Amino acid sequence: MGKPILEVEELTFKYDKRLEEETLSAVSFTVNKGEWLAIIGDNGSGKSTLAKLLVGLLEPQKGRICIAGTELTDDSKWEVRRHIGLVFQNPDNQFIGTTVQDDVAFGLENVNMSYEEMVPRVNEALRMVEMSAFCEHDPSRLSGGQKQRVAIAGILALKPSIIVLDESLVMLDPKSRRELLSTLNQLKHKESLTIISITHDMNEAAVSDRIMMMKSGRVLKSGPPAQIFIEEQQLEPPFVERLKRELENKGKEVPKAYTTEEEMVKWLCKSCLMV
Amino acid sequence: MNKLILGRYFPGESWMHHLDPRSKLLAAAYFILVIFLANNWQTYLLLWVFTIFVLYSSNVSFSVYLRGVRPLLWLILFTVFLQVLFTGGGVIYLEWGPITISEFGLLNGAYIFCRFVMIILISTAVTLTTKPIDLTDGINALLRPLRKLKVPVDELSLMLSISLRFVPNLLDETQKVMDAQRARGTEFGAGSLLQQMKTLVPIFLPLFASSLNRAEDMANVMEVRGYQSGEKRSTFRQLSWGIRDTASLLIMLLLTISMIWLRTETTGY
């Protein structure tokens, strides 16, 4: 983890200027290079709006966004978008190409990359999401989860330094979600990719380095997953945390600190032996 | 929907399937011009031989082609009968008011019938052996010179390929909306014409609204992936012009020469 790659300062936004209520009000945070930030919050807390602001699809009323040292403005947005990629939620509307490989290549075509350079990039991106076998398929023959993987490959092929996932893993089955998350984790370590995932899935949030909780357009709190899951009791926690709470209700003594699944298994085995 | 053969693609491995879409499109357009060179039975015979050769080399069964012609048969016959009934000249077999059945009329009718059928057969052969996306690429490549005249060729072809890509999606969605409306008690295809049209409103409005949403999402995705209209883009899909393509254009040239020769040999001009 190094210097901040993304800085957001006092970001304020509302969709309709006549409305009183702000969709985002004075949101500030920074993300370091190679960090995984999970943004959670209820529906309507402004998470997706924030994602659109980050890539310059929407323009804030106040505040500024700095990505890799460049401030995001109307003039600089094309330049900035080379550093940041956004994967949307609905996989159907994200498919531009007529076949899988065409879709992945779309972004590369836009930066006017030569054909020779494009082919290995497309193949590599498809391998990362395990869709190589489907490169000639057309979208109507793919499932929702497969389309989401292609959408992610389309962004990965562009090799951005920051990737924003706006609930992009919701249609994947648990197994492929785990696999894709571990692929992303590898990328994060190998190429110090910065990941911002917007999610309702607490297991996805649990693998992040830091969780930022949003509520009605404000940052409620931010911290490592362990801290957030212990402090926020009304949040639907990951499985281990739920188990701990159940045990606690039954009057058992459980470790106070946040534990991963493996640690919990070890602890359970140990306490069984003691009894 | 299933009756229309024109515009559908039959996967295969024939000679025609491996031709470059550009050469196929060029040859098909050129063939339509060549057809108008024909003016007697010898030239028409040659054209028929050529057409059947093309159909044969596409490796699609003839019954498929016949099915392709069938929906248009009434239109063709209508035109042919108009020609037959209202053209005079030569030996006149029957005359009744403005209606004349003459030698020239019959001959013209037969010729027009041949022209129609051959044009349909050849264009069906092209679409049956070419993937829609390759057709789009071919059209794009052939229209490229128009860019000098400020025609937005790349934008048009992108629009064309996105439309093609969304046809199955929209069909699916139409089916879904129809089923949803049926579940709510709408009955399609029943009642008077006006009533039937009214039942279409609850299909079209949601489809239209969802298309707008789709378009907005799509535009966002394209923008995020760096699409700027009017900027120079490279292309991932590559067309390759092979020996067969040159050969097929040479065959077209050969056809033209023999057509002109037959024409001058048999009619003197």
Side-chain angles (χ1 to χ4, degrees), chain B residues 33-240:
Chain B
L33 291 179
V34 170
I35 282 182
F36 290 95
L37 278 177
N39 63 346
N40 54 36
W41 69 266
Q42 289 96 331
T43 46
Y44 273 103
L45 188 70
L46 178 66
L47 284 178
W48 270 114
V49 170
F50 176 78
T51 309
I52 287 174
F53 165 73
V54 168
L55 301 195
Y56 179 75
S57 72
S58 75
N59 218 357
V60 179
S61 81
F62 281 97
S63 63
V64 174
Y65 286 106
L66 290 183
R67 265 196 287 153
V69 177
R70 208 185 295 152
L72 297 164
L73 200 63
W74 292 113
L75 183 75
I76 300 170
L77 287 181
F78 177 72
T79 329
V80 169
F81 274 111
L82 281 187
Q83 276 289 329
V84 171
L85 296 181
F86 296 106
T87 315
V91 187
I92 289 176
Y93 304 115
L94 185 92
E95 202 160 8
W96 187 64
I99 295 172
T100 42
I101 293 183
S102 65
E103 189 190 351
F104 278 22
L106 283 173
L107 212 58
N108 260 340
Y111 286 169
I112 281 176
F113 179 79
C114 289
R115 276 182 201 170
F116 258 119
V117 174
M118 281 190 290
I119 289 175
I120 294 166
L121 287 177
I122 290 286
S123 38
T124 312
V126 169
T127 55
L128 283 184
T129 56
T130 321
K131 283 191 199 129
I133 182 62
D134 288 332
L135 272 183
T136 325
D137 288 344
I139 292 170
N140 181 28
L142 292 178
L143 291 182
R144 194 143 285 174
L146 287 181
R147 271 204 292 211
K148 294 230 161 53
L149 299 173
K150 299 249 158 79
V151 179
V153 175
D154 291 309
E155 278 78 3
L156 286 176
S157 73
L158 187 71
M159 267 161 60
L160 199 60
S161 79
I162 289 177
S163 329
L164 280 176
R165 127 110 187 78
F166 273 107
V167 168
N169 277 66
L170 284 176
L171 284 178
D172 277 356
E173 206 167 307
T174 315
Q175 194 58 46
K176 254 189 228 160
V177 174
M178 275 176 84
D179 289 345
Q181 303 292 15
R182 259 197 214 110
R184 287 175 174 78
T186 315
E187 211 177 318
F188 295 108
S192 70
L193 199 61
L194 193 70
Q195 274 170 331
Q196 284 193 36
M197 276 160 76
K198 271 186 187 160
T199 57
L200 289 182
V201 175
I203 301 176
F204 280 125
L205 283 183
L207 275 182
F208 191 65
S210 92
S211 299
L212 287 180
N213 282 334
R214 217 184 259 278
E216 197 187 332
D217 279 2
M218 207 69 183
N220 281 341
V221 171
M222 286 171 69
E223 212 184 314
V224 168
R225 292 215 216 155
Y227 178 78
Q228 277 172 288
S229 89
E231 288 286 303
K232 196 157 169 42
R233 304 177 72 227
S234 55
T235 48
F236 180 68
R237 312 186 57 84
Q238 303 279 318
L239 298 171
S240 60

Side-chain angles (χ1 to χ4, degrees), chain A residues 208-247:
Chain A
S208 66
D209 299 321
R210 188 155 59 101
I211 293 182
M212 188 168 96
M213 237 184 117
M214 288 186 69
K215 189 162 193 167
S216 42
R218 289 166 197 281
V219 179
L220 201 61
K221 66 172 44 167
S222 129
Q227 184 196 338
I228 297 281
F229 286 132
I230 287 176
E231 281 176 13
E232 294 294 318
Q233 291 289 323
Q234 76 274 27
L235 214 66
E236 169 83 21
F239 172 71
V240 179
E241 196 58 34
R242 278 213 308 274
L243 179 67
K244 262 163 53 176
R245 283 178 202 177
E246 288 287 319
L247 286 171

